[in-house]
Amino acid sequence: MTDYQKEFIDFMVECRVLKFGEFTLKSGRKSPFFMNAGAYVTGSQLGRLGRYYASAIHDCYGDGFDVLFGPAYKGIPLSVATVIAYSELYGKEIRYCSNRKEVKDHGDAGILLGSPIKDGDRVVIIEDVTTSGKSIEETFPIIRAQGSSPDAVKIVGLMVSLNRMERGQGAKCALDEITDLYGFPARAIVSMKDVVEYLYRPGKGGVISDDIKERLDAYYAEYGA
């Protein structure tokens, strides 16, 4: 792991974005951990978050993209914070774009806010976490529809903050399923494997205790990809 990945794991715990215990997910699964990116609420938190995303995106995709697309609603602040950080860290101006849940028919009309997407643009999608790939199912046609033809706009890849490493619709994790279905890479700043490797100290308590580790092992034995 890189230093920024280790810092990011500490950051998620400090902000209470990543918590351990017992949680019921939307899917009905009983999970020993829960992630809520909505807990990033201050200016300094969003500033740091943008820098972690920018570092990971640069590591995975370099400067070979023009637009950072954040699906509504959580993707909007993520995309804004990250393009600011990208400019500060790497000196390249990336445009941000997001979608509206409802099409606006007056003033700044349309389904997009932020920068338009045009022929030749290369787009990276940014999200908090992906468990089923449903948001990409909605986002993919919106982005492709902005070009004059289906291949006029290129989706370079997806970046999320945490790879939960559990099965999506089938036997693979959601990020691998997205790659198989849509043909672009899907990456994460860190994976749950990284989190456990960094936070668990056998017999020493801490953020991931022996009890939590046992529950994580049982959870991934049932739902892991």
Side-chain angles (χ1 to χ4, degrees), residues 82-102:
T82 302
V83 295
I84 293 171
Y86 208 93
S87 174
E88 292 173 347
L89 291 174
Y90 303 110
K92 179 170 181 177
E93 296 289 9
I94 301 295
R95 291 140 46 208
Y96 102 90
C97 181
S98 295
N99 64 298
R100 295 181 170 98
K101 289 292 188 179
E102 301 84 20

Side-chain angles (χ1 to χ4, degrees), residues 40-135:
Y40 298 118
V41 293
T42 70
S44 62
Q45 288 172 344
L46 289 169
R48 287 182 65 185
L49 181 62
R51 289 191 289 276
Y52 292 129
Y53 264 109
S55 297
I57 290 170
H58 189 265
D59 280 357
C60 289
Y61 305 122
D63 289 332
F65 69 106
D66 311 289
V67 178
L68 190 61
F69 188 95
Y73 289 102
K74 287 183 180 178
I76 298 174
L78 292 180
S79 61
V80 172
T82 302
V83 295
I84 293 171
Y86 208 93
S87 174
E88 292 173 347
L89 291 174
Y90 303 110
K92 179 170 181 177
E93 296 289 9
I94 301 295
R95 291 140 46 208
Y96 102 90
C97 181
S98 295
N99 64 298
R100 295 181 170 98
K101 289 292 188 179
E102 301 84 20
V103 177
K104 187 178 178 184
D105 61 3
H106 61 281
D108 181 21
I111 196 170
L112 301 183
L113 41 93
S115 171
I117 297 175
K118 60 184 186 301
D119 285 5
D121 277 340
R122 300 160 298 174
V123 180
V124 169
I125 304 170
I126 183 170
E127 289 203 279
D128 56 347
V129 66
T130 297
T131 53
S132 68
K134 182 171 176 55
S135 62

Side-chain angles (χ1 to χ4, degrees), residues 138-161:
E138 299 171 353
T139 301
F140 184 77
I142 292 173
I143 296 174
R144 293 288 293 272
Q146 306 310 308
S148 60
S149 66
D151 297 321
V153 174
K154 179 182 180 182
I155 299 178
V156 174
L158 166 69
M159 180 62 68
V160 302
S161 59

